[in-house]
Amino acid sequence: MLKERIDAETALKLFLPHVKPVTRCEEVPLSGAINRVLTRDIIASRDIPPFDRAAMDGYAVRAEDTFGASPENPILLDIVGEIEIGEKPGVEVQKGQAVRIATGAMMPEGSNAVVMIEYTNRVGDSVEIYKAVTPGENVSLRGEDVKAGEVVLRKKTVLQPQDIGMLAALGMKSVEVYKPVVAVMSTGNELVEPGDGDEEAGKTIDSNRYALIAALKELGCEVVDMGISRDNEEELERTIKTALNKADMVIASGATSVGKKDLLPAVVEKLGKVVVHGVAIKPGMPTALAIADGKPVIMLPGFPVATLIAFYTFVPRILEHMMGFETIRRKWEKARAITAKRIPSSSGMRTFTRVILRESKDGYIAEPVRTSGSGILSSLVRAHGFVIIPEEKEGVEEGEEVEVLLIRPLTRCLNAQNI
Ligand SMILES: Nc1nc2c(c(=O)[nH]1)N[C@H]1C(S)=C(S)[C@@H](COP(=O)(O)OP(=O)(O)OC[C@H]3O[C@@H](n4cnc5c(N)ncnc54)[C@H](O)[C@@H]3O)O[C@H]1N2
Ligand code: MOO
């Protein structure tokens, strides 16, 4: 018989303390690292950028040489060379000289600023400068994005595209992540594989297994496909035992209700303990959560919609618990926050300001990430989300309420209170 129906949150509260951490980890290539969870902090092994580089196309100059320049009073400098991106500068800039430079190219010795091409006019071997620059202007200094030795990503981070870009920028080809292995099985005498004669009376195609395998892969799990088990105790027991040997968690669908063939919870009870059977969610009511061999055995109802709803209600939370963190808000959700300072924007441009969210007693505070431009990948790695300022608005005031679009899940380590 179905035990009492309890609400989903209470079910998780009862169940999660029985769940042990996943210990397996593996080194995966960056191409397979999306949504995987870091086992350790990532410390930068090098400076990014590794050299001072131009942040704009224009002329590398000594800033002092441009002081006082204006459209009415252009300053004339001698062009002594050109530096393409990806090559070592073969020239040095001396007093009264300029070098044509491309965005991203190495700054030549002697120069300390770049005058944007828009504020110059080439006249033969010279260039007229229409605007003064300050030392460091339009230059990305070595280590401005990331400094060697700095913690770039914290352990338990669910890797996002920007994080994977950063790992590559640090020269890494692979990364160590947790490896939760999950076995998936379907139960039912009526089930057939897709294409295997479901036209026969009474047969049903096993669609749940395919949906569940896809859902687990999206969550970064390695899946062991246990196929279809028939509705008899011996076969169910054998399949579950094999699955427990191979995986950190077992997920079954079907045979959880009160029909004559709904044998699964009783079989699992023999192997361990059914902690929850019957949850107040609709669909998904006959879900059962058990522990056997110290591992979760999740029994989802057979109806395909009930299977997936029950899956998403419980499995991501259980997996996260196994990896030692919990998600407070999911990626692409919006969070309301108060700005910590004024955020400027140009009218007519949709501006994406990267912000870090901090918890306060009155809710979230959105703090803009300090950055010198769009070359600074760490601004996206450090940020929780974007404040998107629309074209028709000019800036957001300090203390204004804003919506933050989350570009990564907001998580909390189970043994450290940081987001
Ligand atoms: N007398 C009662 N009957 C039912 C109850 C109840 O409380 N009392 N609960 C109902 C609810 S709610 C649900 S949900 C279902 C769940 O039943 P089971 O988990 O035991 O699932 P099955 O009986 O094995 O299958 C139900 C249905 O789903 C199809 N199925 C099963 N596995 C798959 C699969 N892998 N792929 C696609 N479809 C699958 C199966 O053929 C059945 O049609 O019970 C109600 N009954
Ligand atoms: O509650 Mo069942 O879960 O009808 O679908």
Side-chain angles (χ1 to χ4, degrees):
M1 268 312 278
L2 230 66
K3 293 184 184 168
E4 225 178 326
R5 288 177 210 175
I6 53 173
D7 68 83
E9 283 308 310
T10 310
L12 278 164
K13 265 204 196 99
L14 277 175
F15 187 67
L16 288 178
H18 295 276
V19 174
K20 294 204 177 66
V22 60
T23 47
R24 271 188 253 237
C25 56
E26 64 178 334
E27 192 82 13
V28 291
L30 295 191
S31 57
I34 187 70
N35 286 334
R36 301 297 297 269
V37 179
L38 283 181
T39 54
R40 53 175 92 158
D41 291 350
I42 301 289
I43 297 172
S45 54
R46 59 172 78 183
D47 288 333
I48 304 176
F51 47 84
D52 293 352
R53 68 182 180 200
M56 296 284 174
D57 290 299
Y59 287 89
V61 296
R62 294 151 52 104
E64 311 80 88
D65 289 353
T66 68
F67 292 168
S70 70
E72 298 74 38
N73 259 324
I75 285 175
L76 204 63
L77 299 176
D78 295 333
I79 302 172
V80 293
E82 179 161 356
I83 304 166
E84 283 300 340
I85 195 157
E87 64 181 31
K88 245 184 133 131
V91 285
E92 196 175 315
V93 176
Q94 309 211 337
K95 194 169 164 41
Q97 296 181 336
V99 168
R100 182 79 166 85
I101 197 163
T103 301
M106 255 175 121
M107 291 290 285
E109 285 288 323
S111 68
N112 61 3
V114 172
V115 182
M116 287 166 70
I117 196 81
E118 294 86 329
Y119 303 113
T120 66
N121 180 37
R122 188 177 182 139
V123 188
D125 285 342
S126 302
V127 59
E128 290 179 334
I129 306 290
Y130 298 131
K131 197 174 173 209
V133 281
T134 53
E137 197 166 329
N138 300 322
V139 179
S140 280
L141 293 176
R142 174 182 181 148
E144 179 180 275
D145 194 349
V146 173
K147 287 193 176 51
E150 149 185 347
V151 176
V152 187
L153 286 161
R154 295 261 170 219
K155 65 176 173 189
K156 315 283 183 192
T157 298
V158 185
L159 290 170
Q160 301 304 310
Q162 58 270 36
D163 306 331
I164 292 168
M166 176 57 80
L167 296 175
L170 290 170
M172 295 170 66
K173 286 178 188 295
S174 61
V175 64
E176 194 189 90
V177 291
Y178 288 105
K179 182 187 178 184
V181 180
V182 183
V184 180
M185 60 187 275
S186 294
T187 68
N189 291 338
E190 78 286 16
L191 297 181
V192 292
E193 287 289 342
D196 279 1
D198 64 298
E199 308 83 1
E200 210 185 303
K203 299 290 184 214
T204 297
I205 291 180
D206 177 7
S207 60
N208 286 351
R209 217 168 85 244
Y210 292 90
L212 292 171
I213 290 172
L216 285 162
K217 287 197 168 162
E218 201 172 51
L219 292 172
C221 298
E222 178 163 307
V223 179
V224 180
D225 184 351
M226 299 298 298
I228 300 167
S229 180
R230 299 302 162 196
D231 289 317
N232 69 71
E233 286 187 36
E234 295 72 40
E235 190 169 340
L236 288 172
E237 186 172 332
R238 208 170 42 231
T239 311
I240 292 193
K241 277 184 170 162
T242 313
L244 285 168
N245 269 333
K246 293 185 173 182
D248 304 306
M249 165 155 44
V250 180
I251 298 186
S253 73
T256 63
S257 188
V258 294
K260 273 213 320 250
K261 299 280 184 201
D262 296 338
L263 308 163
L264 198 56
V267 167
V268 174
E269 183 75 48
K270 280 207 298 190
L271 303 173
K273 182 179 168 50
V274 176
V275 181
V276 172
H277 188 194
V279 187
I281 58 171
K282 200 176 158 106
M285 189 276 287
T287 302
L289 311 175
I291 297 284
D293 275 0
K295 297 171 180 178
V297 179
I298 311 302
M299 291 163 270
L300 305 169
F303 282 131
V305 177
T307 286
L308 283 176
I309 289 173
F311 176 91
Y312 282 111
T313 305
F314 296 109
V315 176
R317 298 273 296 271
I318 296 167
L319 275 171
E320 286 166 10
H321 194 89
M322 290 167 79
M323 290 187 271
F325 68 97
E326 59 183 2
T327 296
I328 308 162
R329 277 169 201 257
R330 310 239 153 232
K331 185 176 174 181
W332 302 135
E333 269 185 51
K334 286 179 175 167
R336 298 222 142 258
I338 302 293
T339 55
K341 54 169 72 111
R342 183 172 198 282
I343 305 174
S345 74
S346 319
S347 77
M349 301 280 260
R350 187 181 307 170
T351 305
F352 296 78
T353 303
R354 284 78 90 196
V355 295
I356 292 175
L357 289 180
R358 302 204 187 284
E359 273 175 313
S360 81
K361 61 177 181 8
D362 304 319
Y364 288 116
I365 309 285
E367 204 162 287
V369 179
R370 279 204 6 227
T371 170
S372 58
S374 55
I376 307 297
L377 185 55
S378 60
S379 68
L380 219 46
V381 170
R382 290 166 58 211
H384 292 121
F386 291 146
V387 171
I388 303 175
I389 307 173
E391 292 83 342
E392 63 279 6
K393 198 164 162 33
E394 223 182 292
V396 174
E397 295 311 315
E398 179 181 332
E400 210 174 310
E401 193 181 75
V402 287
E403 245 181 10
V404 178
L405 180 67
L406 297 178
I407 57 169
R408 61 174 67 251
L410 271 191
T411 60
R412 182 182 281 136
C413 283
L414 289 177
N415 41 13
Q417 294 291 305
N418 57 338
I419 56 169

